[in-house]
């Protein structure tokens, strides 16, 4: 259990890296967007401002998930990080809608100045920085199996792509087509909405105890190969924060002793921990036939 809490602390560091990056990059983009008259860069900067709120939600969720079990939460508070990811998706969706509405309004109004080409350089620099944050958080999220940090990493990647899109729009506007900058801002908004939907779908899937069937088959195969197990009557698994809970009913030889049945259960738990990094397995033993 101590390892799980240490993993959550590592996830908090990833969230703090995101917050620091967004603070610096949002300021850089907003100032540059105003100075260089770029709607796409301004939209990207405002997106990063709300990403700070989303990353704070992830950080708070991870902090709460580190609280030990209590009388009202016998399984601990691990799902707080999944709730945080869900909240982050709502924040991102609101920003995406706002960016699209403002970009369309600017497009229809027309009369825009052609953005300074230097704003494209700003967008590319910011994209490279954010891609670095994405790589860091993605690796960390996979290492500690954190859904909330993976949501933050997806947001990082989306932001890197958004900045690339903004740069493309700014460059396009240099060819006498200032509306291209507004069109890029619209694309930015839809990319934000797409990322928000992906995070929302994954979070609700986890919160409603959805579990990947292929992974469940891997767990079943491991249990079936455990010495003493003659069959599997039932197997369920669900994601609880950054780890998995498994409930399994196995069939064993009817003539064995209670102690032998207990040894088989211990063997299943040990194999699940070693091979699948699952720390919580409930095993129910029934006689074959």
């Amino acid at each position: 259990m101590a390892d799980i809490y240490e993993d959550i602390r590592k996830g908090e560091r990833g969230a703090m890296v995101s917050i620091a990056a967004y603070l610096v990059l949002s300021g850089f983009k907003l100032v540059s967007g105003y100075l260089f008259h770029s709607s796409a860069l301004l939209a990207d900067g405002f997106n990063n401002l709300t990403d700070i709120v989303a990353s704070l939600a992830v950080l708070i969720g991870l902090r709460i998930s580190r609280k030990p079990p209590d009388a009202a939460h016998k399984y601990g508070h691990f799902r707080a990080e999944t709730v945080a990811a869900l909240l982050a998706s709502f924040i991102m969706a609101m920003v995406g809608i706002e960016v699209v509405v403002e970009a369309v309004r600017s497009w229809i109004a027309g009369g825009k100045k052609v953005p300074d080409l230097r704003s494209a350089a700003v967008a590319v620099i910011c994209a490279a920085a954010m891609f670095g944050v994405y790589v860091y958080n993605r690796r960390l999220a996979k290492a500690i199996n954190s859904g909330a940090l993976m949501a933050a990493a997806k947001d990082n990647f989306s932001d890197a792509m958004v900045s690339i899109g903004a740069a493309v729009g700014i460059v396009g506007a240099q060819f006498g087509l200032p509306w291209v900058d507004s069109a890029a801002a619209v694309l930015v908004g839809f990319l934000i909405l797409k990322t928000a939907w992906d995070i929302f779908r994954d979070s609700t899937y986890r919160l409603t105890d959805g579990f990947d069937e292929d992974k469940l088959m891997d767990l079943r195969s491991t249990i079936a190969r455990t010495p003493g197990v003659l069959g599997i009557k039932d197997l369920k698994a669900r994601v609880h924060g950054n780890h998995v809970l498994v409930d399994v009913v196995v069939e064993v030889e009817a003539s064995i002793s209670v102690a032998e049945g207990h040894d088989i259960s211990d063997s299943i738990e040990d194999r699940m921990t070693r091979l699948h990094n699952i720390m919580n397995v409930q095993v129910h033993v029934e006689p074959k036939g």
Side-chain angles (χ1 to χ4, degrees), residues 37-251:
H37 312 291
S38 173
S39 296
L41 196 58
L42 281 172
D44 196 3
F46 283 119
N47 171 42
N48 286 166
L49 277 180
T50 54
D51 287 328
I52 295 171
V53 179
S55 294
L56 278 172
V58 170
L59 178 60
I60 292 169
L62 288 168
R63 287 276 171 89
I64 293 173
S65 68
R66 271 205 286 128
K67 292 175 64 178
D70 55 34
H73 303 85
K74 298 295 186 181
Y75 288 98
H77 299 75
F78 297 110
R79 275 192 169 171
E81 69 164 275
T82 311
V83 174
L86 185 64
L87 178 60
S89 74
F90 288 137
I91 295 170
M92 290 176 63
M94 288 188 293
V95 175
I97 292 170
E98 178 65 20
V99 167
V100 170
V101 169
E102 287 301 317
V104 170
R105 185 178 299 157
S106 174
W107 193 345
I108 293 172
K112 277 177 53 63
K113 292 183 179 180
V114 175
D116 193 304
L117 189 58
R118 286 174 291 181
S119 58
V122 171
V124 171
I125 292 169
C126 292
M130 190 50 63
F131 187 78
V133 176
Y134 157 71
V135 171
Y136 173 80
N137 278 338
R138 183 173 180 270
R139 287 177 179 171
L140 184 57
K142 283 191 170 184
I144 65 176
N145 192 31
S146 173
L149 190 59
M150 184 57 77
K154 288 179 179 179
D155 190 20
N156 299 149
F157 181 76
S158 172
D159 291 325
M161 294 301 100
V162 161
S163 294
I164 292 296
V168 171
I170 293 164
V171 171
Q174 306 304 308
F175 296 95
L177 301 170
W179 59 267
V180 174
D181 185 53
S182 295
V186 173
L187 178 61
V188 165
F190 280 115
L191 285 172
I192 296 168
L193 289 171
K194 172 64 167 57
T195 303
W197 168 251
D198 289 342
I199 295 172
F200 172 81
R201 184 176 57 186
D202 181 67
S203 299
T204 52
Y205 185 73
R206 288 169 174 255
L207 287 172
T208 54
D209 289 339
F211 196 80
D212 185 83
E213 289 188 12
D214 291 336
K215 291 181 181 178
L216 196 64
M217 290 301 295
D218 287 341
L219 300 181
R220 177 179 286 273
S221 178
T222 297
I223 295 170
R225 291 196 303 268
T226 304
V229 173
L230 301 181
I232 300 173
K233 291 190 68 175
D234 189 31
L235 174 63
K236 295 188 288 287
R238 54 197 169 103
V239 178
H240 193 64
N242 68 335
H243 68 294
V244 176
L245 306 179
V246 175
D247 297 293
V248 61
V249 179
V250 297
E251 294 179 312

